[in-house]
Amino acid sequence: MRLLAVDHPLVAHKLTVLRNARTDSPTFRRLADELVTLLAYEATREARVDTVEIETPVAPTTGVKLSSPKPLIVPILRAGLGMLDGMARLVPTAEVGFLGMIRDEDTLQATTYATRLPDDLTGRQCYVLDPMLATGGTLAAAVRFLVDRGADDITAVCLLAAPEGVQHLDDETRELGVPVTVVTAAVDERLNEKGYIVPGLGDAGDRLYGVVG
């Protein structure tokens, strides 16, 4: 597994505001959207392209276009939805699938409760959106789910990661035979006893949408 923590002053600035407990939900949503676009720039560096011949107003030239099949963006519900627009803005021709997963707060294990994805992902590059790579259980389960359907290259875009989650994801995906990359704004210190990232930014879903039920 490859890990890329994006070192950029704009990334650090936006992440600082997201961490602040006084940042309200509308501001949090806007900044998360902007931050994801910056992370997506790095996440798509290895996007597959084909050569294409075009005519400029001056002369013929050779360029590139995104290969087929199109990349697939997969936000993990619900918090991953807050990252979708920022990613799709950079790759507007990508297709979008949805994966609903929930973490049991006692066992910290992830289970799938909803899917809206193609049955066959053979040859697809997938970009998984999950704000927090905490224990790593949810993201590892999502990666396995996509690989089982044929995905052969997976990049996860996360606002924050914890060392424990990074290690767990690496352990769980090492034998899959598929390249897995994590792109994040920062790797924080640790997890607390409840499985939350420290210092973190709190519950990303609640910060994005408010506390529901």
Side-chain angles (χ1 to χ4, degrees), residues 101-112 135 137-138 194-195:
M101 308 194 82
I102 189 167
R103 185 180 76 165
D104 186 294
E105 295 303 325
D106 294 324
T107 66
L108 302 182
Q109 297 299 307
T111 55
T112 303
T135 64
T138 298
K194 294 183 178 180

Side-chain angles (χ1 to χ4, degrees), residues 33 47 68 78 84 96 102 112 119 131 187 201:
D33 178 79
S68 294
R78 73 175 166 140
L84 177 57
V96 179
I102 189 167
T112 303
D119 291 331
V187 178
L201 50 76

Side-chain angles (χ1 to χ4, degrees), residues 27-60:
T27 304
F28 191 97
R29 284 194 296 270
R30 176 176 57 81
L31 287 174
D33 178 79
E34 294 172 359
L35 179 54
V36 170
T37 299
L38 294 175
L39 297 177
Y41 178 81
E42 295 295 339
T44 54
R45 188 171 291 278
E46 301 298 326
R48 295 169 184 160
V49 295
D50 294 324
T51 301
V52 60
E53 303 296 326
I54 63 169
E55 294 275 349
T56 79
V58 179

Side-chain angles (χ1 to χ4, degrees), residues 18-162:
L18 289 177
R19 290 187 189 276
N20 193 332
R22 296 184 178 182
T23 299
D24 59 23
S25 287
T27 304
F28 191 97
R29 284 194 296 270
R30 176 176 57 81
L31 287 174
D33 178 79
E34 294 172 359
L35 179 54
V36 170
T37 299
L38 294 175
L39 297 177
Y41 178 81
E42 295 295 339
T44 54
R45 188 171 291 278
E46 301 298 326
R48 295 169 184 160
V49 295
D50 294 324
T51 301
V52 60
E53 303 296 326
I54 63 169
E55 294 275 349
T56 79
V58 179
T61 191
T62 301
V64 298
K65 65 176 181 179
L66 289 177
S67 300
S68 294
K70 296 177 181 178
L72 183 69
I73 301 172
V74 184
I76 297 179
L77 304 178
R78 73 175 166 140
L81 282 176
M83 304 172 69
L84 177 57
D85 287 347
M87 185 76 189
R89 183 179 301 111
L90 195 68
V91 197
T93 58
E95 296 181 347
V96 179
F98 299 93
L99 188 55
M101 308 194 82
I102 189 167
R103 185 180 76 165
D104 186 294
E105 295 303 325
D106 294 324
T107 66
L108 302 182
Q109 297 299 307
T111 55
T112 303
Y113 66 86
T115 61
R116 187 67 175 179
L117 294 164
D119 291 331
D120 185 4
L121 295 176
T122 301
R124 299 291 288 267
Q125 281 186 299
C126 295
Y127 296 92
V128 182
L129 309 181
D130 192 11
M132 313 298 281
L133 173 49
T135 64
T138 298
L139 196 49
V143 169
R144 287 194 300 270
F145 189 97
L146 296 173
V147 170
D148 287 344
R149 293 201 176 191
D152 66 355
D153 188 284
I154 298 174
T155 298
V157 181
C158 306
L159 300 182
L160 282 179

Side-chain angles (χ1 to χ4, degrees), residues 172-184:
E172 290 294 310
T173 60
R174 191 175 299 154
E175 304 302 323
L176 294 178
V178 169
V180 175
T181 301
V182 174
V183 177
T184 184

